Structures are given as C-alpha cells and as structure tokens.
Amino acid sequence: MSAVINRQAGVMARRMRRWGSALRRRARGDAGMTTSEYAVGTLAACAFAAILYKVVTSGGVVSALTQLITRALDVQF
C-alpha cells in the first residue's frame, strides 16, 4: 500500500515540477509590449502632451509663470 502511495506522490511531484517550469517559461516569454500596446501608449502620451500644452499656454498660467520668473530675476543678493 505504501508503495502505491509513494508512486502516486512521485507522479504528482513530477507533474508539479513540469507545471511550475511551464509557468516560469510563459512568464519570461512576455517581456515587452506588442504593437497595439505601443500605439495606445503613444496615443495616450500625445493626448496628455496636448492637454498639458493647453494648460501651460492658458492666460492664467502664463501670467503666473511670468510673475514667478520676474520675481526670481529681481531678487536682491
């Protein structure tokens, strides 16, 4: 009886090792982004840049930056 249990345990251990190594191979194989992921990432970056450009070039932000730079240049040492 114990021989049967030992054999089944050995079979199960081999299956678990094969499963673990197959899982590691799959995890290592997906190292980078696909073309569609690059396209979506590029589109998102461009949209963010356009929104940031609109915010930075708005009247309030331009005047605040101008005041900040003017004050920084007028500092007495």
Side-chain angles (χ1 to χ4, degrees):
M1 178 83 145
S2 69
V4 172
I5 292 173
N6 287 338
R7 190 174 338 120
Q8 288 175 345
V11 168
M12 194 63 162
R14 283 190 297 277
R15 284 182 187 166
M16 292 300 288
R17 279 193 298 271
R18 279 189 296 219
W19 181 76
S21 64
L23 186 62
R24 282 190 295 276
R25 275 193 308 273
R26 272 188 232 134
R28 273 183 271 155
D30 191 19
M33 293 194 307
T34 62
T35 304
S36 61
E37 290 170 329
Y38 276 117
V40 170
T42 303
L43 184 63
C46 290
F48 180 72
I51 292 170
L52 187 61
Y53 176 76
K54 282 292 191 182
V55 168
V56 170
T57 57
S58 68
V61 175
V62 169
S63 66
L65 286 174
T66 303
Q67 289 174 0
L68 179 70
I69 292 171
T70 304
R71 272 191 273 149
L73 293 175
D74 289 339
V75 171
Q76 299 295 323
F77 290 101

